[in-house]
Amino acid sequence: MEGLRRGLSRWKRYHIKVHLADEALLLPLTVRPRDTLSDLRAQLVGQGVSSWKRTFYYNARRLDDHQTVRDVRLQDGSVLLLVSDPSTGYCGNPLRRKDGGSQVPRKVTWVGGCRAMAEGTKGAG
């Protein structure tokens, strides 16, 4: 019975959505349990969306590209959040200190779909 269940999971499909926070878009995707997040990125590129320097989140957890849909426990109707790398500033421009080092924002204010202001930044190193 376990072999049959494993064999049927190959045919299973989930209809999920990816919320692009920077552009305020919600894109539908169809995925299989064995698909990795890298496969999802490839589907997004096929739809004309660049996922470079963006991170997937699900249930407030950061996800790695090698994880599968099954590992993350996505289900039909799940919504993934895709946000820009937190080390970048307003609309993808890196935040820099006066001495040339990068900054990591503690609190980010979102305005018009882009990060307008990073408050309480601290040095990254």
Side-chain angles (χ1 to χ4, degrees):
M1 189 64 159
E2 183 63 30
L4 178 61
R5 187 177 313 156
R6 234 181 282 140
L8 289 176
S9 71
R10 171 181 354 171
W11 302 103
K12 190 178 279 190
R13 300 271 194 270
Y14 297 127
H15 300 284
I16 66 167
K17 295 187 190 270
V18 176
H19 180 219
L20 303 172
D22 295 342
E23 289 94 24
L25 289 174
L26 196 61
L27 297 174
L29 290 180
T30 302
V31 297
R32 294 179 306 235
R34 292 184 181 178
D35 288 348
T36 63
L37 292 176
S38 294
D39 297 331
L40 272 65
R41 285 185 191 277
Q43 283 190 38
L44 288 172
V45 168
Q47 292 187 15
V49 175
S50 172
S51 62
W52 176 252
K53 291 199 175 189
R54 294 186 185 183
T55 306
F56 282 110
Y57 286 88
Y58 181 64
N59 286 340
R61 286 183 303 144
R62 183 182 177 148
L63 306 176
D64 294 323
D65 282 352
H66 70 276
Q67 290 179 293
T68 64
V69 169
R70 184 182 298 126
D71 295 340
V72 178
R73 296 187 178 155
L74 292 180
Q75 301 173 0
D76 209 28
S78 295
V79 178
L80 286 174
L81 179 64
L82 186 63
V83 295
S84 294
D85 187 7
S87 64
T88 59
Y90 178 73
C91 293
N93 297 325
L95 295 171
R96 295 283 173 211
R97 293 192 312 229
K98 290 181 182 176
D99 63 1
S102 64
Q103 297 179 344
V104 179
R106 287 188 208 153
K107 180 181 175 187
V108 176
T109 305
W110 293 86
V111 176
C114 291
R115 264 181 252 168
M117 175 176 30
E119 300 173 9
T121 57
K122 64 176 185 171

